[in-house]
Amino acid sequence: MSTLPALLPPEPDAPFPPVDQALRQPDGLLAIGGDLSPPRLLNAYRHGIFPWYSQGQPILWWSPDPRTVFATDGVRLGSKFRRGLRRCDWEIRADTAFAQVIQACAESPRPGQRGTWITPEMRAAYERMHGLGHAHSFEVFDGARLVGGIYGIAVGRMFFGESMFSAVSGGSKVALAALAFHLGDWGFPLIDAQVENDHLLGLGADLWPRPRFLAAVAELTAQPGIVGAWSGRVDRWPASRLADVARPPRAAPPDP
């Protein structure tokens, strides 16, 4: 296996190298260069690849192993959080504030992280994808205030999550749970969450070996999708409904 990532040719429809050529260190780095045009982005996601880089770096393309994945019926919210949701008057919307969501994700501080990987170039690319009906956001509103959100790319019946944010505690959890509930209702079984962290695992994410993930992606992205704005599908949906549909956290394993 090469110790250097492949250099992508300039043509937007050029194929990516085989994913099994991704580096072990850093985990999943597959290719460098290219652009963020819609054809290249859609091709990347169909093959389980995503861009992730910082300002001043070239575009870097990744496919880590293992992959962090949510089943859409597997997002888990704590009992105390769900009790609070029953009294909550937040509303869920979709594709009504995409630019605000991606901006808030870019500006949200992340523990142990300086700056953001959502560069102006990335924001522009995903806003183009949103305009074409491929990128979508789920938004949590408290009245007129945006208090949480999540965005990503839908290809076929597969949703690739990119980032989420909270302006008020719990906003991102509600956005994720609402996204998962509606996707499940529409026939999307999985949400790609890319790289593991304790927060995602605590919300119910699982780690899949890359071959298993890629097989699911190939099957789901080949199915008919829902291209276009999702705003008419989720119209001021009450977040309180999530209290009765989200699963409780997994029980801790017994002591040995």
Side-chain angles (χ1 to χ4, degrees), residues 143-170:
R145 184 187 180 195
L146 182 65
V147 298
I150 186 170
Y151 78 94
I153 299 288
V155 184
R157 295 285 165 166
M158 181 73 198
F159 191 87
F160 300 89
E162 280 294 318
S163 188
M164 57 186 182
F165 84 97
S166 292
V168 174
S169 178

Side-chain angles (χ1 to χ4, degrees), residues 20-234:
D20 60 8
Q21 294 182 10
L23 303 185
R24 289 292 183 186
Q25 290 296 331
D27 178 34
L29 180 58
L30 176 67
I32 185 170
D35 59 21
L36 298 175
S37 64
R40 195 176 315 253
L41 284 170
L42 290 172
N43 186 31
Y45 286 105
R46 287 190 183 101
H47 291 87
I49 302 163
F50 60 88
W52 185 24
Y53 65 102
S54 299
Q55 189 74 41
Q57 291 181 324
I59 301 173
L60 304 176
W61 300 89
W62 303 77
S63 184
D65 186 12
R67 192 68 162 243
T68 306
V69 180
F70 282 99
T72 52
D73 63 354
V75 173
R76 299 175 181 272
L77 302 178
S79 57
K80 181 178 179 181
F81 190 83
R82 286 185 288 119
R83 285 196 300 271
L85 273 177
R86 290 190 175 93
R87 303 186 299 272
C88 178
D89 59 1
W90 289 355
E91 289 182 338
I92 308 299
R93 306 174 196 172
D95 285 350
T96 68
F98 185 88
Q100 290 173 259
V101 169
I102 195 170
Q103 179 178 349
C105 289
E107 295 175 351
S108 293
R110 313 285 177 178
Q113 178 177 315
R114 297 177 60 187
T116 179
W117 58 268
I118 307 175
T119 65
E121 183 183 24
M122 287 279 278
R123 285 172 58 181
Y126 284 84
E127 288 179 18
R128 284 195 298 271
M129 293 287 281
H130 175 65
L132 294 171
H134 301 299
H136 304 280
S137 61
F138 263 62
E139 307 122 15
V140 185
F141 280 91
D142 182 4
R145 184 187 180 195
L146 182 65
V147 298
I150 186 170
Y151 78 94
I153 299 288
V155 184
R157 295 285 165 166
M158 181 73 198
F159 191 87
F160 300 89
E162 280 294 318
S163 188
M164 57 186 182
F165 84 97
S166 292
V168 174
S169 178
S172 63
K173 288 183 183 180
V174 170
L176 172 63
L179 170 69
F181 174 78
H182 284 86
L183 287 176
D185 200 41
W186 302 338
F188 289 64
L190 300 176
I191 299 171
D192 173 33
Q194 297 182 349
V195 180
E196 70 177 285
N197 60 49
D198 290 342
H199 179 63
L200 296 177
L201 297 178
L203 289 172
D206 290 311
L207 300 180
W208 284 23
R210 186 165 56 206
R212 179 187 178 191
F213 174 75
L214 295 178
V217 167
E219 177 183 351
L220 293 171
T221 58
Q223 296 180 19
I226 307 175
V227 179
W230 289 359
S231 51
R233 293 175 169 267
V234 185

